[in-house]
Amino acid sequence: MAVRQRPPVPRIDPPKPKGGLVLSVADFGATPDDDASDWQAFAAALDACKERGAAKLVIPKGRYRFHDPAALKRQGGHVLVAGMSALTIDGQGSELLFHHIRAGFQFHDSQRIVVKNLTVDWDIRLASAAVMVDEPGVGKVLRVPDDYPITDDQPIGKMSAVSEYDLAARRWVIGGEERYYPEDVKTIRPQVFSSPSFAGISTGKTFVVRHHVYSAHAFDFGGRGNADLAFEDITVYGAPGHNFVGYGCERGFRLTRCRIARRDEPGRLISGASDGAHFGATRGDILVEDCDFSYMGDDSINIHGAWLRTTEKPAGRRLLLTSRWYGATHIDVGEELKLCHAANLEEYGRAIVKE
């Protein structure tokens, strides 16, 4: 009689603080529901949490803005969690409204962190409507309605993507025509743009222009040292990149009751600009449960490994490996690599990394 094996249980370690110190962003000058920037108050609160070993940081309910230009002088996202452990950040139903083209939350070398009860958004337009038409003497051009004025904050070109979109129904056209990063975009006149990349696109079709694709992520926890991060009851209404993303990081990530949604406002066509949740070359367990992702510009969930191509076989038992996205910084001595045939990924051997 066959014995049914139990499925593996994901392991995401919770915070286990040594004390019970609770701090509030209000203690450092954050004031909700006004037009002042709260960036400095949040930065000071997180610095204090690190210095004093706080168990929890609370955010009194309200809307907080992050448009201070001084934030651009400090590396990291609008909210930077760096070198911290065993901390819970409780938004208590608050909304954080970001402004700059940089990550909303960014994590560096932090472990056993919980972020919960928050809504995040950006105060810039992430996408515009458009229609492809023929321009005499020019060819295919993209015409953007005056309802979506194009300024320097709404780039069309190397950071953008043009994707077919049903404007009447306000939804993506599955399998529709699309161009990423249009080349040599020229302004024919205000709101009208040409590009060699538009050749071959059908005229008369309607599109959405994502002004950013991977420019800045809502929750960015990529990199070595980040482990056991949990996000609970988070809503993302917009981000100029991925909504949740972790590349080449350590073990254990959990998304629980998180939502990516399009805010019900005139002119809002999308939610986040690219993937809902994107995990790549990540160690440990990934748990996504009871989440609802919609209207983002790319995959709902994208999970992939770190395939390394053998580009050279020097003398002895040495291999030169390369990767499209990752270097060797996340491969450690003592780890085991599986060797596969490129044609069919059939395994033909294992190797332990010696140096």
Side-chain angles (χ1 to χ4, degrees):
M1 180 177 178
V3 177
R4 179 178 296 178
Q5 293 184 341
R6 294 183 178 180
V9 177
R11 173 190 157 202
I12 295 90
D13 292 338
K16 294 180 180 179
K18 296 180 179 179
L21 177 63
V22 178
L23 299 179
S24 170
V25 295
D27 299 334
F28 299 86
T31 305
D33 305 319
D34 61 12
D35 291 331
S37 176
D38 296 290
W39 171 76
Q40 293 189 25
F42 272 69
L46 283 164
D47 288 344
C49 286
K50 182 177 179 179
E51 293 169 3
R52 300 167 62 183
K56 179 183 285 190
L57 176 66
V58 298
I59 305 171
K61 186 174 182 179
R63 172 182 274 197
Y64 298 84
R65 303 180 66 91
F66 292 76
H67 52 73
D68 188 340
L72 297 175
K73 299 177 182 179
R74 180 174 177 174
Q75 290 188 339
H78 290 82
V79 178
L80 177 62
V81 181
M84 304 183 72
S85 62
L87 176 69
T88 296
I89 301 174
D90 187 351
Q92 299 185 337
S94 293
E95 177 176 355
L96 307 189
L97 189 60
F98 302 130
H99 174 75
H100 302 296
I101 303 302
R102 55 171 52 198
F105 276 76
Q106 190 158 21
F107 299 82
H108 288 305
D109 193 26
S110 292
Q111 307 84 36
R112 301 180 307 283
I113 307 290
V114 174
V115 182
K116 63 181 184 179
N117 303 325
L118 269 177
T119 294
V120 304
D121 198 1
W122 261 255
D123 64 1
I124 61 173
R125 177 157 37 92
L126 300 175
S128 299
V131 60
M132 193 68 66
V133 299
D134 280 317
E135 179 83 5
V138 178
K140 302 287 179 63
V141 298
L142 193 69
R143 187 174 67 205
V144 180
D146 293 339
D147 294 343
Y148 300 86
I150 301 301
T151 66
D152 291 341
D153 294 332
Q154 284 82 38
I156 297 179
K158 63 180 181 179
M159 289 190 292
S160 68
V162 177
S163 307
E164 192 173 349
Y165 190 92
D166 187 338
L167 290 175
R170 297 182 71 225
R171 65 186 181 190
W172 300 100
V173 174
I174 304 301
E177 297 186 71
E178 188 170 58
R179 295 291 188 276
Y180 273 77
Y181 318 125
E183 299 178 353
D184 193 22
V185 174
K186 289 185 171 58
T187 303
I188 303 302
R189 57 183 179 276
Q191 303 293 112
V192 179
F193 306 89
S194 69
S195 166
S197 302
F198 298 157
I201 295 183
S202 305
T203 57
K205 288 188 175 182
T206 53
F207 294 84
V208 70
V209 179
R210 282 177 277 158
H211 298 299
H212 299 275
V213 180
Y214 305 115
S215 300
H217 312 308
F219 292 87
D220 187 343
F221 43 92
R224 298 297 293 268
N226 289 325
D228 296 301
L229 305 183
F231 305 92
E232 301 175 2
D233 300 293
I234 302 290
T235 295
V236 180
Y237 281 127
H242 294 310
N243 297 271
F244 299 90
V245 61
Y247 284 95
C249 36
E250 304 297 335
R251 50 144 286 99
F253 301 96
R254 174 168 62 84
L255 275 61
T256 301
R257 298 181 302 278
C258 292
R259 186 169 69 109
I260 301 167
R262 180 177 63 193
R263 193 186 283 278
D264 188 16
E265 291 180 351
R268 286 273 189 152
L269 301 173
I270 68 172
S271 56
S274 48
D275 292 358
H278 191 126
F279 304 91
T282 296
R283 307 167 188 264
D285 297 325
I286 297 169
L287 177 61
V288 181
E289 56 183 356
D290 301 323
C291 293
D292 184 357
F293 298 166
S294 62
Y295 290 104
M296 55 268 152
D298 211 330
D299 308 315
S300 288
I301 299 180
N302 189 336
I303 302 175
H304 58 85
W307 290 102
L308 302 169
R309 184 175 294 275
T310 303
T311 57
E312 188 178 337
K313 296 180 180 179
R317 295 178 56 82
R318 293 178 176 268
L319 298 176
L320 179 63
L321 308 176
T322 189
S323 169
R324 177 178 175 184
W325 291 289
Y326 312 103
T329 56
H330 63 292
I331 297 176
D332 294 329
V333 171
E335 291 189 328
E336 184 178 53
L337 301 182
K338 180 168 65 173
L339 308 178
C340 302
H341 294 288
N344 56 13
L345 302 185
E346 180 182 359
E347 180 181 344
Y348 66 85
R350 301 276 177 115
I352 302 297
V353 178
K354 297 295 185 183
E355 61 176 334

